[in-house]
Amino acid sequence: MLYLERIEKQLEDKREDFVDFGATQKQDLTQYLSVLAEISGMTSAEIEKRISESENVGAIPSAEIDALEKFCVKFETSWNNHEEARKWAGGILADRTTFAADGSQYYSEKETSLPVGAVQIGWFENPHNADESYEKDAELTILSPNDLLKDQEEPIQPDSRVNEARFIGEVRKVGEFLTRKKGWQERGERMPLAFFDGTLLVSFALPQTQLQKKFIQELINLVRHSRDVKVPFLGYIDRSLSRDLLNLIDAASDKITSRTQTLHDGALLHPEDPDNHNVLKNWGDRTPFCYSKRKGLDSFIDPETERSLVGFTYLQTTGDSLPARVDVPAWIYEAGLLDEVLDVVRAECVIGLGYPYAIETADQTAVISFRDRQLLLGALQDFAKENKLNFSVSRKNASKGRRR
């Protein structure tokens, strides 16, 4: 239990730390915005030449920047009220199939005498057609002690196996949707779109473990599959802490930029500081598409084009909060589908009040609640008793369940 007076005392003791950090952040923000404005006046070729000698450039702006005066692609549509916005969104989504998958997980850890895990993958497929029904369902997988502990290429904790099963399950479901929608152009359908809840640019500190390499390869395979079947999908990150644009500014600038890491890309593009101009000022605005060039992600580089298979844009999906980061397979931009894809994202955010409705619904479908966990433990106890297994649930867990 927390006590208000103790919280207040701790905050007062740390007041100077907060004040100093805020002052440094404000100074950094002014400096970075100044350099970003300078970069925005350059062509993509000029920027790429300037950063060519840098080790970690974070991002390489696409040719979209050539036609821009600022680091912003404005969203020209506006509405007088939310009813008009929903009507616009309905037009964008009508007869268009959107899909999202999300996962939830449970690991018994110390709650049971034997390690047990569970993963539930939920999905939501919506054709946005009154004559066709949507699909909202979930798939549960129980992970036995053998699933968690045996056949390990390298020593990993059982909960890592649960993480792996959830991640693979989410990727698999998105991949299945992409396969089903192959040939949508020939069938005269509107472009479908799948949402992956999270980044497509999974990065880990070097050296990487085999499990981490597997995560990266799964996403690379999904991006390539999307390109092969020509069905778009994207990774949506509501509050990203990435610093790819900041690293680009560092690489392109001959000025001294901060290494204190008081900022991240979202805070740069839509700062809360009233003295600085928001790069993404209005709802629906976005940054130009950038190819990823983050250090440690060389496996995402396409050997044929020598560019990353994945890029990104930041999209303002609310009026006053930080922008969302949208990771986009590069083939989508190169095929001229980026504007349509992002209009679908905007429309989903209108329906979902600032967050894609498809992802929100998939999350609700997938979630394993506290009550679900108690139900699972009860079923495990009954199963163990029926099969004369040496399995028990800790008294501490039962006590916590009664008190919370």
Side-chain angles (χ1 to χ4, degrees):
M1 181 176 180
L2 294 177
Y3 296 92
L4 180 59
E5 62 272 15
R6 295 179 183 176
I7 296 174
E8 292 174 339
K9 183 179 185 307
Q10 283 290 309
L11 289 174
E12 184 58 32
D13 290 344
K14 300 288 184 179
R15 187 176 66 85
E16 289 302 319
D17 289 352
F18 284 99
V19 171
D20 291 345
F21 183 89
T24 302
Q25 185 182 61
K26 187 172 183 177
Q27 180 180 354
D28 292 346
L29 182 60
T30 301
Q31 193 173 41
Y32 272 105
L33 286 173
S34 173
V35 179
L36 182 61
E38 179 184 338
I39 291 174
S40 301
M42 302 168 63
T43 66
S44 56
E46 290 170 339
I47 296 171
E48 193 162 357
K49 182 178 180 180
R50 179 176 289 195
I51 64 178
S52 60
E53 301 299 323
S54 299
E55 183 179 358
N56 181 23
V57 302
I60 299 177
S62 70
E64 272 197 317
I65 199 172
D66 296 353
L68 301 176
E69 294 181 3
K70 298 180 180 179
F71 203 74
C72 172
V73 179
K74 290 186 176 295
F75 181 58
E76 301 295 347
T77 306
S78 61
W79 313 284
N80 295 314
N81 51 54
H82 191 65
E83 182 180 354
E84 291 183 3
R86 289 182 66 88
K87 184 177 180 180
W88 173 85
I92 295 294
L93 296 174
D95 297 319
R96 186 193 304 275
T97 304
T98 57
F99 178 90
D102 198 9
S104 183
Q105 65 192 65
Y106 166 74
Y107 172 54
S108 64
E109 199 170 16
K110 298 179 181 179
E111 293 179 328
T112 59
S113 57
L114 296 175
V116 177
V119 168
Q120 183 157 267
I121 305 299
W123 64 90
F124 179 54
E125 183 171 334
N126 190 351
H128 295 99
N129 185 312
D131 296 327
E132 298 182 45
S133 59
Y134 62 79
E135 182 180 18
K136 183 170 67 172
D137 206 348
E139 180 181 277
L140 177 68
T141 302
I142 301 293
L143 300 174
S144 69
N146 276 353
D147 294 328
L148 297 173
L149 299 173
K150 291 189 69 175
D151 300 326
Q152 296 190 12
E153 296 180 4
E154 56 191 1
I156 59 174
Q157 295 298 318
D159 60 332
S160 295
R161 278 285 174 89
V162 182
N163 293 335
E164 176 186 7
R166 172 180 174 173
F167 181 81
I168 298 300
E170 292 174 359
V171 170
R172 175 174 55 83
K173 276 298 173 186
V174 172
E176 289 173 358
F177 173 79
L178 301 181
T179 299
R180 288 199 304 276
K181 286 299 176 180
K182 179 181 179 181
W184 59 271
Q185 302 101 320
E186 291 81 358
R187 294 190 296 270
E189 298 172 2
R190 298 191 78 182
M191 183 201 74
L193 180 64
F195 290 79
F196 181 81
D197 186 16
T199 182
L200 304 185
L201 293 162
V202 178
S203 56
F204 302 100
L206 297 174
Q208 295 167 349
T209 67
Q210 290 301 315
L211 181 59
Q212 290 169 341
K213 291 178 181 178
K214 183 176 183 180
F215 280 21
I216 292 173
Q217 191 59 51
E218 286 288 336
L219 285 174
I220 292 174
N221 292 343
L222 186 62
V223 170
R224 291 185 182 278
H225 180 53
S226 170
R227 183 181 64 180
D228 292 344
V229 299
K230 297 181 173 59
V231 180
F233 89 108
L234 55 84
Y236 188 90
I237 309 98
D238 186 46
R239 287 183 74 90
S240 171
L241 299 180
S242 296
R243 291 174 48 85
D244 294 328
L245 294 181
L246 295 178
N247 286 330
L248 167 64
I249 293 171
D250 282 339
S253 174
D254 55 2
K255 302 175 183 179
I256 300 174
T257 47
S258 171
R259 301 293 181 178
T260 56
Q261 298 196 1
T262 63
L263 296 169
H264 52 82
D265 290 348
L268 172 74
L269 298 169
H270 195 88
E272 297 179 354
D273 185 352
D275 295 332
N276 281 290
H277 173 69
N278 287 335
V279 177
L280 301 181
K281 184 178 180 180
N282 299 314
W283 191 96
D285 288 351
R286 68 172 176 92
T287 57
F289 179 81
C290 293
Y291 289 90
S292 171
K293 191 64 174 176
R294 190 185 302 171
K295 184 178 180 181
L297 290 180
D298 292 344
S299 54
F300 281 88
I301 302 300
D302 187 343
E304 295 182 6
T305 64
E306 297 185 349
R307 288 200 178 275
S308 176
L309 290 165
V310 177
F312 64 90
T313 181
Y314 283 89
L315 178 65
Q316 195 65 40
T317 59
T318 63
D320 53 3
S321 296
L322 299 178
R325 175 173 166 133
V326 184
D327 286 350
V328 184
W331 77 265
I332 293 174
Y333 161 71
E334 293 161 358
L337 294 174
L338 183 61
D339 285 335
E340 186 175 0
V341 163
L342 293 178
D343 268 349
V344 177
V345 178
R346 293 183 181 104
E348 284 279 348
C349 288
V350 168
I351 304 300
L353 300 178
Y355 188 77
Y357 181 74
I359 301 179
E360 179 183 359
T361 306
D363 172 75
Q364 293 170 351
T365 306
V367 68
I368 300 176
S369 66
F370 179 77
R371 181 180 178 278
D372 294 332
R373 295 181 181 189
Q374 299 306 304
L375 185 67
L376 173 61
L377 290 172
L380 285 168
Q381 284 182 303
D382 293 341
F383 176 79
K385 184 176 180 180
E386 180 181 345
N387 291 275
K388 297 181 173 58
L389 301 177
N390 183 21
F391 178 88
S392 62
V393 177
S394 74
R395 294 179 181 272
K396 180 179 180 181
N397 178 73
S399 173
K400 287 165 63 177
R402 290 192 299 269
R403 290 183 281 110
R404 293 184 178 179

